[in-house]
């Protein structure tokens, strides 16, 4: 955020900024959803916070690439642009965990812990400019399949 502000205030050039949540797809690693899926596959205890909070903080790598391409083709060097990216649709944290446990046939148990506040992202500006995100449930289903088929 500070770098974006610095460029806006002092830069003599225009930039387009894509703010990304967790990027999911083949090759993705180390984000919360993937760690949760991997723990469920191993039947480990799952630790979550804010179980009733809505969540849409994931993007599919394929949709990201298509949007980046659309921006590059239609690029106009006339203003600073900031796009927030997210999935289409939302699930609660509990719904995500239930989906992961069911689709991995996991015997994991869930423990609720204290954590930071949850938030969702508004990607309407990006969708008006060619971003076409899949539903969060589809992104998670695809990632579960990737993780179930990942070599150990």
């Amino acid at each position: 955020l500070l770098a974006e502000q610095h460029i806006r205030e002092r830069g003599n050039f225009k930039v387009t900024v894509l703010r990304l949540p967790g990027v999911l797809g083949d090759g993705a690693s180390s984000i919360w959803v993937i760690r949760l899926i991997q723990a469920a596959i191993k039947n480990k205890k799952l630790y979550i916070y804010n179980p009733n909070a809505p969540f849409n903080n994931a993007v599919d790598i394929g949709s990201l690439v298509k949007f980046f391409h659309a921006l590059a083709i239609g690029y106009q060097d006339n203003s600073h642009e900031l796009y927030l990216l997210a999935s289409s649709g939302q699930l609660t944290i509990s719904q995500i965990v239930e989906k992961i446990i069911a689709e991995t046939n996991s015997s994991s148990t869930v423990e609720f812990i204290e954590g930071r506040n949850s938030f969702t992202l508004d990607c309407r500006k990006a969708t008006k400019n060619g971003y076409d995100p899949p539903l969060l449930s589809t992104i998670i289903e695809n990632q579960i399949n990737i993780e179930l088929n990942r070599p150990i």
Side-chain angles (χ1 to χ4, degrees), residues 2-58:
L2 290 175
E4 293 171 19
Q5 181 180 350
H6 179 77
I7 290 170
R8 269 193 315 273
E9 292 172 355
R10 295 176 186 85
N12 58 357
F13 52 94
K14 307 301 180 194
V15 296
T16 297
V17 176
L18 303 180
R19 285 206 191 139
L20 302 175
V23 178
L24 295 173
D26 198 17
S29 63
S30 299
I31 69 164
W32 173 75
V33 173
I34 293 175
R35 290 192 310 270
L36 195 65
I37 295 168
Q38 291 170 345
I41 290 169
K42 295 174 185 173
N43 297 309
K44 292 184 176 180
K45 185 179 275 191
L46 306 178
Y47 299 91
I48 65 168
Y49 58 92
N50 299 331
N52 298 317
F55 181 89
N56 72 339
N57 303 359

Side-chain angles (χ1 to χ4, degrees), residues 58-131:
V59 298
D60 168 71
I61 188 68
S63 300
L64 174 59
V65 169
K66 288 177 185 174
F67 182 55
F68 185 79
H69 183 255
L71 288 176
I73 288 174
Y75 181 73
Q76 296 178 9
D77 187 24
N78 58 2
S79 66
H80 291 285
E81 292 294 339
L82 169 65
Y83 296 102
L84 298 177
L85 302 184
S87 65
S88 175
Q90 300 175 3
L91 295 172
T92 66
I93 301 296
S94 287
Q95 288 172 318
I96 292 168
V97 171
E98 290 166 9
K99 181 176 202 54
I100 290 170
I101 288 173
E103 293 190 23
T104 60
N105 294 312
S106 179
S107 61
S108 293
T109 58
V110 178
E111 183 174 325
F112 301 103
I113 57 175
E114 294 294 320
R116 59 182 182 246
N117 292 332
S118 297
F119 60 92
T120 58
L121 300 169
D122 181 352
C123 64
R124 285 180 289 188
K125 179 178 177 184
T127 57
K128 289 178 186 173
N129 287 280
Y131 180 54

